[in-house]
Amino acid sequence: MKVAVVGATGLVGSEILTVLAERNFPVTELIPVASEKSKGKEIEFKGKKYKVVTPAEAIALQPQVALFSAGGGTSTEFAPQYAEAGITVVDNSSAWRMDPSKKLVVPEVNGDVLTASDKIIANPNCSTIQMVVVLKPLHEKYKIKRVVVSTYQSVTGTGVKAVNQLMDERAGKDGEKAYPYPIDLNVIPHIDVFQDNGYTKEEMKMIKETNKIMGDESIRVTATTVRIPVMGGHSESVNIEFESDFDVTEVRELLAAQEGVIVVDDPANLKYPMPKDAHGKDEVLVGRIRRDESQDKTLNLWIVADNLRKGAATNAVQIAELLSKRGLI
């Protein structure tokens, strides 16, 4: 299968290449795609070298699938051109996520919605992906009424510039800034731009995307998203109110049986998920599972995942795997 990776030289694009190799996706020819300034650069994949081409040039090479991770502007301009040429696009930007004509997919949650006619498929926001994988079995069993989520997100979610800012500050050096404030030894309760309602765009993404992926507008979600000085891995404190009551032991069993989830919940032995444990893993880790004693039918959870993998690259590759397995590409 001919596979194009658009944004192949970026943080997520590089991770997509790693995940494609690790999961043995059936790539017969890789087409690494980046901006004009990276044209001609060589990318190594599974021992072979491939030259970087521009987004326009890649269309003529006719890949069956194109995994986009080059920002909303590139996706808005080129994804329709790829789709028009019969190429299936899995897009990691926010460009198409809330478009009612496009599917927003986490394979373990709603992979069954995909059809051969879906030529532009949206990959959700990283913090939404890890949460809905955990919510799915609980919603099926107890029906979720409301979710309150606070996130603790890695600088890798912003990109290379933010990683450099953190490392420069840690080394006591001046350098280019990704954030309006220092991030080392600090916490910034501000991800993406503020909206008129006082929420940030990242917070509104989590709210709207959760409803769309879960296929249930009745689930009420409120979010506070926070950037912390961690190099990789997003963490979330999640409070879930259900319509039906639950048994905590059964909750653990449901989560342990959910595809893509690993339960790490043994506080007596100080076992709980941390970003360093999620690093390089495709699964979502969940722990600190306990009843909210302030309110009936309400549960507290702590969810951690590698934001560059399950939060971005792995989910995109899993969508491509699903399409391939079902003969949709």
Side-chain angles (χ1 to χ4, degrees):
M1 191 180 296
K2 272 193 188 179
V3 178
V5 176
V6 182
T9 57
L11 263 185
V12 176
S14 303
E15 201 66 39
I16 286 173
L17 295 173
T18 300
V19 174
L20 284 168
E22 282 179 7
R23 294 176 74 91
N24 284 316
F25 190 80
V27 180
T28 51
E29 185 185 336
L30 178 74
I31 304 167
V33 184
S35 61
E36 191 72 45
K37 68 178 185 201
S38 295
K39 183 180 171 178
K41 265 179 79 173
E42 286 196 331
I43 296 261
E44 191 167 320
F45 178 75
K46 285 192 156 184
K48 283 181 75 176
K49 291 199 166 140
Y50 297 90
K51 277 198 161 58
V52 170
V53 299
T54 65
E57 289 169 338
I59 298 172
L61 298 173
Q62 279 293 299
Q64 279 102 320
V65 64
L67 306 178
F68 271 62
S69 195
T74 301
S75 296
T76 304
E77 181 181 355
F78 287 104
Q81 295 179 39
Y82 278 62
E84 189 68 32
I87 303 159
T88 301
V89 171
V90 180
D91 180 48
N92 200 46
S93 80
S94 59
W96 307 100
R97 289 175 187 159
M98 296 316 298
D99 184 325
S101 69
K102 306 291 184 289
K103 307 284 173 59
L104 183 65
V105 175
V106 178
E108 301 94 328
V109 179
N110 65 336
D112 57 332
V113 301
L114 290 171
T115 67
S117 61
D118 293 313
K119 286 298 172 195
I120 299 176
I121 300 157
N123 205 35
N125 184 43
C126 46
S127 39
T128 309
I129 290 173
Q130 68 187 68
M131 185 170 75
V132 295
V133 173
V134 170
L135 295 184
K136 179 183 187 273
L138 303 180
H139 186 52
E140 286 175 351
K141 181 73 179 179
Y142 311 114
K143 190 153 181 30
I144 296 170
K145 285 173 69 175
R146 183 169 185 255
V147 177
V148 181
V149 55
S150 299
T151 72
Y152 306 74
Q153 295 181 224
S154 158
V155 293
T156 56
T158 307
V160 174
K161 195 163 140 184
V163 172
N164 291 341
Q165 178 179 338
L166 174 60
M167 298 319 287
D168 284 345
E169 288 172 2
R170 196 150 283 188
K173 294 190 322 198
D174 276 337
E176 197 179 16
K177 301 280 190 276
Y179 304 119
Y181 299 102
I183 184 63
D184 192 31
L185 299 177
N186 196 23
V187 163
I188 304 173
H190 167 195
I191 298 179
D192 214 323
V193 295
F194 281 99
Q195 310 290 284
D196 291 341
N197 63 358
Y199 285 75
T200 65
K201 199 170 172 188
E202 179 87 354
E203 289 158 356
M204 294 310 299
K205 284 179 197 171
M206 289 195 78
I207 293 164
K208 293 175 179 174
E209 290 179 21
T210 298
N211 291 137
K212 184 171 178 179
I213 298 161
M214 301 288 285
D216 192 338
E217 292 291 325
S218 75
I219 300 171
R220 290 172 297 151
V221 182
T222 187
T224 302
T225 58
V226 180
R227 192 70 70 190
I228 63 170
V230 164
M231 191 58 83
H234 288 353
S235 305
E236 298 172 350
S237 171
V238 186
N239 179 270
I240 312 162
E241 182 186 354
F242 298 106
E243 283 193 4
S244 307
D245 206 358
F246 57 87
D247 175 77
V248 174
T249 301
E250 186 180 47
V251 166
R252 286 193 187 93
E253 289 167 356
L254 287 168
L255 292 173
Q258 168 66 16
E259 183 190 352
V261 170
I262 296 174
V263 174
V264 184
D265 189 42
D266 182 9
N269 291 300
L270 309 186
K271 302 285 187 194
Y272 32 71
M274 293 181 287
K276 70 177 191 62
D277 303 321
H279 186 70
K281 287 192 172 72
D282 291 331
E283 295 84 7
V284 175
L285 311 182
V286 60
R288 298 298 319 279
I289 301 165
R290 65 209 187 274
R291 189 176 286 278
D292 178 347
E293 295 185 348
S294 72
Q295 179 171 272
D296 288 343
K297 302 174 186 171
T298 305
L299 183 74
N300 285 309
L301 297 170
W302 176 251
I303 301 169
V304 180
D306 186 323
N307 54 295
L308 291 184
R309 290 187 67 102
K310 184 55 184 169
T314 300
N315 201 73
V317 172
Q318 286 174 320
I319 292 171
E321 287 173 343
L322 199 57
L323 294 166
S324 176
K325 185 178 164 188
R326 293 203 187 146
L328 303 176
I329 51 174

